[in-house]
Amino acid sequence: MMKTDVVVIGAGAVGCAIARELSKYEVDVIVVDKNEDVGGDASKSNSAIIHTGYDASPGTLESQLVVAANPMFPKLVEDLQVPFKATGAILPAITEEQFEQLPAIKEKAFRNRVYDVEYLTKEQILKMEPNMNPEVRGGLYIPRESIIDPFIYVQALAENANENGVHFLLNTKVTGIQTEDQKIRSVETTGGTIETKYVINAAALYCDEIAAMVGKAEYKVVARRGQFYILDKNTSCKVEHIVLPIPTKVTKGKLMCPTIHGNMLVGPTAEDLNNKTDKSVTADGLASIVEDVRRLVPGVKIGDTITQYSGLRPNRNPEGLHVDIWDDLEGYINLSGVRSTGLTLSAAMGVYVAQLMKEHGCRLVYKENFKNTRKGIRIFHEMSREEQDAVIKENPKYGNIICRCETITEGEIMDAIHRPLGARSMDAVKRRVRAGMGRCQGGFCGPKVIEILAREWKIPVDQVNKNETGSYMVTGKTR
Ligand SMILES: Cc1cc2nc3c(=O)[nH]c(=O)nc-3n(C[C@H](O)[C@H](O)[C@H](O)COP(=O)(O)OP(=O)(O)OC[C@H]3O[C@@H](n4cnc5c(N)ncnc54)[C@H](O)[C@@H]3O)c2cc1C
């Protein structure tokens, strides 16, 4: 039987941020995830915005954590080498009714302690964003709304936690939790039993099912789907800022923004589902995105789409972000309702959960040798000519371009595979180095990446997975 102090269920942004925070202390931590890679479910299919919390409900835990998290990012992304840019967001008022809402939104931002929101005139907006609807009447500027690479963010948290002693059990599903005398005793998984004193439930979409394992099923998770378009980097109608609509009660609305790698992101929808698995995109959903975003940026070129995707927000019923601890169940911390801002608030959630654990008797002694930095994968196409020559001399695999759309070399793919918590599947490679993320979506580099994965993991090519076990890329010979 495995033994630890803390089991974190879920290797998404939230679970990995908690694990990294706990890795600063003399405590044994195991992160368990049913997926084959770190990165979560919702954490890899979102808008990739680091929010300020300007539009949160004032006084809520969500507001507290998002507002606290935003200023943590500049140092965090520097320490962990995560692509990040403080683009700022523009909230344009197109109609008179929207224009009249601006003071209330600014006032709400103030109540959330986001003090740097500014009014913009029509002229200022059109100067900042020439492709904005010329009928715009004015708007708000939220300077610290930022964009990030959400895949690398979670990988970086996990790799750094791992380097500081956290164990990750991937491809391992939690199937039960044992308690004794109102205390946590062990966690049952498909990989065996883990004896533990603490369980942190960061299972997002499935956190209600985990809570039911300890008799705390006080809520239900309802998946709220968001569909997106990704446009080609060369699309002629671009924006430089995050262009946000005036938010409604249900959703932040459909936006257009650059991604950290220079594509345009357009979406998402907000549709409550009656299941937790339907990640399809639909004709109606996509049409509604075009209709809404054209009100903000009329010239958006949807024909330049290179792919579409959807993500499921782990919405909670009754709603609201909750972090619960019960007096009659020592050692159990339950997170639920980490819905639309979880990527952002994860940074503060780690600190919040560690503090809660201290307040509930967990002795957390700071590790003298905690290493706060992580080295990212060296990106060949961002190097100078001299650096490229030097790196090819050191390792000729950097001279072999595998993904032509994104200019990704074999050297980078090898690094993605062999680093801590390295890539074992096609999607895991894609999310680490972007091979297959470009215009051809892996049409050219896919077969080469399959061969590299098979060679490096010493497995037959027909055992290489797209993502989960059994999602084979190759199923047999055609002749
Ligand atoms: C469309 C959309 C847009 C969004 N936009 C933004 C945005 O711009 N900015 C922002 O801050 N947030 C955004 N969010 C929200 C954000 O993505 C989520 O709140 C956040 O990713 C949740 O992280 P998580 O770690 O809690 O969950 P997840 O990433 O879902 O991770 C949970 C993990 O738990 C694991 N798990 C579940 N059950 C089990 C089990 N039984 N055993 C083992 N493992 C288990 C899963 O495999 C998964 O890996 C958006 C979300 C969506 C869907």
Side-chain angles (χ1 to χ4, degrees):
M1 189 193 291
M2 291 169 276
K3 205 172 167 186
T4 189
D5 298 313
V6 186
V7 170
V8 178
I9 307 173
V14 173
C16 289
I18 294 170
R20 178 182 187 255
E21 183 63 26
L22 292 177
S23 76
K24 296 177 180 169
Y25 301 96
E26 299 287 354
V27 62
D28 287 336
V29 181
I30 297 180
V31 179
V32 185
D33 201 295
K34 63 176 171 51
N35 294 346
E36 54 81 47
D37 192 13
V38 298
D41 286 334
S43 304
K44 59 183 184 233
S45 43
N46 49 56
S47 312
I49 296 173
I50 296 307
H51 295 294
T52 51
Y54 78 96
D55 61 337
S57 293
T60 58
L61 178 61
E62 185 178 15
S63 156
Q64 177 188 327
L65 293 179
V66 176
V67 172
N70 181 286
M72 294 168 80
F73 273 88
K75 172 147 191 332
L76 193 57
V77 297
E78 195 184 327
D79 284 352
L80 300 181
Q81 298 197 342
V82 182
F84 170 86
K85 191 174 174 196
T87 52
I90 297 175
L91 201 76
I94 310 293
T95 64
E96 193 55 40
E97 196 189 335
Q98 288 174 346
F99 190 71
E100 280 165 13
Q101 284 181 52
L102 297 180
I105 297 170
K106 194 169 186 308
E107 161 101 25
K108 191 177 192 186
F110 178 80
R111 282 190 285 137
N112 281 313
R113 302 184 184 177
V114 179
Y115 288 179
D116 51 357
V117 174
E118 299 281 354
Y119 285 116
L120 291 174
T121 62
K122 174 189 180 98
E123 291 69 30
Q124 284 170 321
I125 293 179
L126 291 174
K127 197 164 170 212
M128 289 164 84
E129 285 298 351
N131 287 322
M132 192 82 81
N133 186 340
E135 286 174 21
V136 63
R137 286 156 201 251
L140 293 174
Y141 179 53
I142 308 137
R144 286 176 296 111
E145 292 274 315
S146 308
I147 56 175
I148 195 166
D149 184 320
F151 313 123
I152 297 189
Y153 171 57
V154 186
Q155 288 153 16
L157 290 169
E159 285 176 19
N160 188 240
N162 182 245
E163 218 182 329
N164 285 297
V166 172
H167 294 280
F168 283 79
L169 290 181
L170 301 176
N171 255 329
T172 306
K173 187 174 176 179
V174 170
T175 51
I177 300 174
Q178 304 300 324
T179 61
E180 198 175 85
D181 300 332
Q182 300 190 332
K183 284 186 193 155
I184 290 291
R185 197 168 67 86
S186 61
V187 173
E188 309 287 339
T189 78
T190 49
T193 303
I194 312 167
E195 194 183 308
T196 183
K197 295 184 205 117
Y198 291 88
V199 169
I200 299 167
N201 174 4
L205 269 180
Y206 298 95
C207 67
D208 51 351
E209 293 170 28
I210 302 288
M213 293 174 189
V214 289
K216 300 293 181 193
E218 296 171 359
Y219 62 93
K220 276 273 160 226
V221 175
V222 180
R224 183 169 289 170
R225 183 170 60 193
Q227 306 182 33
F228 294 92
Y229 286 102
I230 300 261
L231 308 189
D232 191 73
K233 287 178 184 175
N234 289 336
T235 187
S236 54
C237 180
K238 289 188 164 192
V239 290
E240 302 264 318
H241 302 81
I242 303 161
V243 177
L244 297 168
I246 305 280
T248 69
K249 270 195 175 145
V250 183
T251 170
K252 288 174 180 297
K254 302 181 186 85
L255 57 88
M256 177 162 173
C257 70
T259 71
I260 196 72
H261 300 287
N263 298 87
M264 288 291 126
L265 181 71
V266 190
T269 55
E271 313 147 61
D272 285 343
L273 304 181
N274 56 15
N275 66 71
K276 294 180 182 179
T277 51
D278 185 358
K279 289 181 102 183
S280 50
V281 290
T282 64
D284 286 351
L286 294 173
S288 76
I289 296 173
V290 182
E291 190 184 332
D292 288 3
V293 171
R294 282 215 170 117
R295 286 194 200 109
L296 307 173
V297 182
V300 58
K301 293 237 165 9
I302 293 298
D304 290 337
T305 296
I306 60 167
T307 190
Q308 303 140 349
Y309 68 93
S310 79
L312 304 179
R313 303 172 185 88
N315 198 25
R316 182 190 195 274
N317 188 4
E319 286 212 4
L321 173 71
H322 289 248
V323 178
D324 291 313
I325 292 194
W326 289 270
D327 288 342
D328 63 355
L329 186 52
E330 201 180 306
Y332 181 70
I333 301 179
N334 195 81
L335 278 57
S336 58
V338 189
R339 190 190 71 177
S340 304
T341 51
L343 195 67
T344 308
L345 64 77
S346 59
M349 185 64 97
V351 182
Y352 186 80
V353 167
Q355 182 62 27
L356 268 186
M357 289 173 71
K358 277 191 213 163
E359 285 167 13
H360 284 78
C362 179
R363 217 170 99 74
L364 291 179
V365 178
Y366 192 73
K367 254 185 216 162
E368 293 288 325
N369 59 351
F370 171 71
K371 187 172 176 243
N372 66 320
T373 55
R374 165 243 180 214
K375 275 238 164 304
I377 295 173
R378 288 186 296 182
I379 302 169
F380 184 78
H381 67 82
E382 288 180 359
M383 295 175 193
S384 67
R385 272 270 171 224
E386 293 70 36
E387 286 167 333
Q388 289 182 339
D389 286 347
V391 88
I392 292 171
K393 231 176 232 156
E394 189 189 307
N395 179 357
K397 301 260 185 238
Y398 280 90
N400 183 17
I401 304 288
I402 299 293
C403 170
R404 289 195 297 202
C405 301
E406 297 289 307
T407 322
I408 309 299
T409 65
E410 188 173 354
E412 290 161 275
I413 294 174
M414 301 265 291
D415 189 354
I417 291 172
H418 292 297
R419 59 183 26 241
L421 303 170
R424 301 195 76 102
S425 68
M426 298 292 287
D427 283 357
V429 168
K430 182 164 89 173
R431 293 193 182 109
R432 280 166 180 75
V433 291
R434 296 185 54 76
M437 287 256 192
R439 185 177 301 159
C440 89
Q441 289 287 296
F444 176 77
C445 67
K448 290 170 185 268
V449 177
I450 295 175
E451 276 174 14
I452 297 170
L453 275 165
R455 183 188 73 209
E456 295 306 310
W457 288 113
K458 298 185 178 47
I459 53 173
V461 286
D462 62 7
Q463 293 301 304
V464 173
N465 287 307
K466 174 161 171 28
N467 38 55
E468 302 309 316
T469 309
S471 60
Y472 302 126
M473 295 295 295
V474 177
T475 55
K477 291 194 170 156
T478 49
R479 59 192 159 106

